[in-house]
Amino acid sequence: MPPPETTELSDSECFKALRPELPEQRRALKSLLELLLVRLPAEERGRLERRILRKLKEGECPETALYEGLIDDRRGQKLEQLTLMVCDYRGFDSFEYLAPILVRASGISAPFAYAHDGSKAMPEVLAEFDVWLQKHGMRYLHMDTGGDECAGFVVEAQYVQQAVELAREADIRLSLESF
């Protein structure tokens, strides 16, 4: 049977009907957010959590809610409190700019410097970044966004397995390996 010509439901209501929110998925996403945003001031952490959970409630999938909730230029994460680093697959300039900011925001006092020499692909550059982070007790977790960008978080090494498990429960793909 063909769909009706018009409907009185909003787009948000249609998405909710197609993808009902699961309480355990919401709980896992909330726990994951607490782990990923732990270094932010309480007020900022709460603001971003509410923003991301609101996007989930509006019908976005958890991965999209997390991604868009953080990267929005006006209402997402603040640059000095960078949590999710997103670079184009060939965005070496943006990596060179964002990686030191992410390192500082992660609580690492040692400076990180990168200069693109043209010989490595972005996944290799991120693997080297992860090796550098390991010396400071941190790891770089890649997030699968479904796009051609490279996105990821810096997490304390002891919480990597917990973050991956919470992400899986929330239907988000995080991994130490690039996608």
Side-chain angles (χ1 to χ4, degrees):
M1 195 163 171
E5 292 294 319
T6 61
T7 181
E8 297 193 17
L9 295 175
S10 69
D11 289 346
S12 177
E13 290 170 323
C14 288
F15 283 121
K16 280 187 203 176
L18 292 173
R19 197 201 63 74
E21 184 180 332
L22 304 171
E24 59 276 355
Q25 190 178 52
R26 180 183 171 84
R27 203 173 8 246
L29 179 57
K30 186 164 177 44
S31 296
L32 177 64
L33 289 173
E34 289 172 5
L35 195 146
L36 295 175
L37 305 176
V38 70
R39 289 179 296 280
L40 298 180
E43 185 177 306
E44 181 67 6
R45 183 174 55 243
R47 182 185 73 80
L48 290 172
E49 283 179 8
R50 286 188 302 276
R51 178 174 168 68
I52 292 164
L53 293 173
R54 183 173 47 249
K55 286 187 169 294
L56 181 69
K57 189 175 183 178
E58 290 172 352
E60 295 288 352
C61 69
E63 186 175 280
T64 303
L66 176 59
Y67 180 79
E68 289 183 1
L70 290 174
I71 65 156
D72 185 294
D73 287 341
R74 293 178 303 156
R75 294 184 216 132
Q77 63 189 348
K78 295 176 179 159
L79 185 60
E80 65 275 3
Q81 298 168 336
L82 190 64
T83 302
L84 174 64
M85 180 175 68
V86 180
C87 301
D88 185 70
Y89 192 75
R90 298 188 193 282
F92 300 102
D93 290 342
S94 59
F95 176 79
E96 185 174 0
Y97 173 69
L98 292 174
I101 296 170
L102 181 61
V103 165
R104 274 192 309 278
S106 299
I108 300 172
S109 58
F112 175 79
Y114 167 80
H116 182 59
D117 62 6
S119 65
K120 296 181 181 122
M122 185 58 77
E124 294 172 299
V125 169
L126 291 171
E128 287 181 0
F129 181 53
D130 183 52
V131 169
W132 185 87
L133 287 169
Q134 288 177 47
K135 297 174 187 173
H136 302 281
M138 303 288 207
R139 297 297 305 266
Y140 184 78
L141 274 178
H142 300 266
M143 179 179 167
D144 184 11
T145 63
D148 63 348
E149 66 271 349
C150 297
F153 301 92
V154 171
V155 177
E156 287 185 42
Q158 63 187 359
Y159 297 118
V160 168
Q161 191 58 38
Q162 181 183 3
V164 170
E165 181 61 29
L166 286 170
R168 186 188 59 73
E169 291 174 19
D171 200 25
I172 297 171
R173 290 182 19 154
L174 290 182
S175 172
L176 288 171
E177 304 296 322
S178 79
F179 293 97

